[in-house]
């Protein structure tokens, strides 16, 4: 089983709909992130959370909100989806006690907004 | 809709040859760098990292070179195999272990020819 699990893996929705992408992890990491990936662009940070009571905006938070329900769960919401939010979304975790500063990514949620 | 004019650079190599993937990073103050591999339909996976106090680091079949003078990073893959086909991208960080500060490059697609 994957250490970082995202649901749904694929979603097609219409403009104006509310969408939630969910992320759960079994790595026991406190730090969790939501990134967006667009064709030809690097990953861009939407929101991050360093613990259950900590939520921070990233580079491109407008139009998104998040909820950290537990250490293991971090969900991303689009309150009113628009076509330019069509993208591949990744959840990630990290652990500052590790020798490397790597991010551990889920397998992605592909969202299409029509 | 999709972004216009943003295409990943592609590197095609023969199986068994060495591959060199390049990355120009943006901030001369960045002090930690990671190379990730992203296979089709999967999330990015850590390959190798390097800190700014080093100019070379080797892993299994991979070597990362850092040239701080020209803000350039390269990933060398020895004896490239079909399983190496993926998108590779670099990430820079201003401070080691602060996950929210990573800046990702757009990536290079590596195609391994039989």
């Amino acid at each position: 089983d994957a250490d970082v699990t995202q649901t749904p893996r694929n979603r097609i929705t219409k403009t104006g709909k509310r969408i939630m992408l969910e992320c759960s992890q079994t790595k026991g990491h406190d730090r969790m992130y939501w990134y967006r990936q667009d064709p030809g662009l690097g990953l861009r940070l939407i929101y991050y959370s360093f613990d259950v009571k900590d939520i921070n905006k990233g580079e491109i938070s407008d139009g998104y909100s998040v909820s950290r329900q537990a250490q293991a769960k971090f969900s991303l919401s689009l309150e009113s989806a628009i076509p330019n939010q069509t993208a591949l979304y990744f959840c990630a975790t990290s652990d500052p006690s590790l020798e490397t500063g790597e991010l551990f990514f889920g397998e992605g949620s592909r969202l299409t907004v029509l | 809709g999709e972004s216009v004019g943003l295409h990943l650079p592609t590197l095609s190599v023969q199986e068994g040859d060495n591959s060199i993937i390049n990355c120009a990073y943006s901030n001369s103050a960045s002090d930690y760098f990671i190379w990730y591999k992203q296979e089709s339909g999967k999330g990015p996976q850590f390959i190798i990292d390097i800190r700014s106090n080093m100019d070379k680091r080797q892993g299994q079949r991979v070597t990362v070179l850092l040239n701080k003078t020209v803000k350039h990073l390269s990933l060398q893959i020895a004896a490239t195999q079909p399983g190496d086909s993926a998108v590779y991208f670099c990430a820079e960080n201003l401070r080691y272990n602060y996950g929210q500060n990573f800046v990702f490059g757009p990536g290079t697609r590596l195609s391994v020819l039989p």
Side-chain angles (χ1 to χ4, degrees):
Chain A
D1 289 342
D3 294 323
V4 182
T5 302
Q6 294 182 229
T7 55
R9 294 291 314 278
N10 286 284
R11 182 72 184 269
I12 299 173
T13 191
K14 294 182 178 180
T15 298
K17 294 292 187 181
R18 183 178 188 273
I19 295 298
M20 179 180 287
L21 306 179
E22 299 186 344
C23 177
S24 63
Q25 53 114 344
T26 58
K27 300 190 75 66
H29 293 170
D30 287 327
R31 298 185 178 189
M32 297 188 74
Y33 311 81
W34 274 103
Y35 283 90
R36 169 177 172 157
Q37 187 177 43
D38 296 278
L41 296 178
L43 290 159
R44 292 182 293 166
L45 183 62
I46 306 172
Y47 270 96
Y48 64 99
S49 168
F50 279 5
D51 64 43
V52 175
K53 297 180 181 178
D54 177 75
I55 300 289
N56 302 282
K57 293 182 178 181
E59 178 189 353
I60 53 165
S61 60
D62 288 349
Y64 302 95
S65 63
V66 291
S67 174
R68 185 80 185 267
Q69 301 94 324
Q71 187 207 37
K73 295 184 182 296
F74 192 37
S75 60
L76 176 72
S77 293
L78 289 69
E79 295 301 325
S80 180
I82 56 177
N84 76 1
Q85 291 179 311
T86 293
L88 186 54
Y89 291 86
F90 286 102
C91 175
T93 72
S94 71
D95 180 352
S97 70
L98 295 179
E99 184 178 342
T100 72
E102 68 182 284
L103 294 165
F104 297 86
F105 288 90
E107 298 207 318
S109 295
R110 184 171 297 281
L111 177 66
T112 303
V113 184
L114 302 176
Chain B
E2 289 192 357
S3 300
V4 175
L6 293 174
H7 299 286
L8 283 181
T10 299
L11 174 67
S12 297
V13 299
Q14 291 292 141
E15 181 178 353
D17 287 351
N18 296 334
S19 303
I20 300 177
I21 301 170
N22 297 304
C23 175
Y25 64 91
S26 59
N27 193 327
S28 57
S30 294
D31 60 8
Y32 179 63
F33 306 87
I34 293 180
W35 278 100
Y36 286 92
K37 172 185 180 182
Q38 185 177 14
E39 296 177 274
S40 181
K42 295 187 177 181
Q45 289 185 299
F46 172 92
I47 302 174
I48 191 168
D49 61 351
I50 189 167
R51 302 184 195 187
S52 59
N53 61 353
M54 306 171 69
D55 53 21
K56 179 179 180 179
R57 190 158 190 227
Q58 288 186 292
Q60 187 176 14
R61 279 202 308 121
V62 294
T63 300
V64 55
L65 299 178
L66 175 62
N67 185 329
K68 294 182 287 292
T69 302
V70 294
K71 294 189 291 185
H72 184 267
L73 205 62
S74 69
L75 177 71
Q76 300 178 2
I77 304 174
T80 311
Q81 302 170 358
D84 295 326
S85 293
V87 174
Y88 292 81
F89 52 90
C90 63
E92 60 181 295
N93 197 329
L94 282 173
R95 286 180 292 177
Y96 177 59
N97 265 343
Y98 286 88
Q100 78 279 15
N101 287 329
F102 277 111
V103 176
F104 292 85
T108 296
R109 186 178 305 280
L110 175 65
S111 293
V112 181
L113 307 173

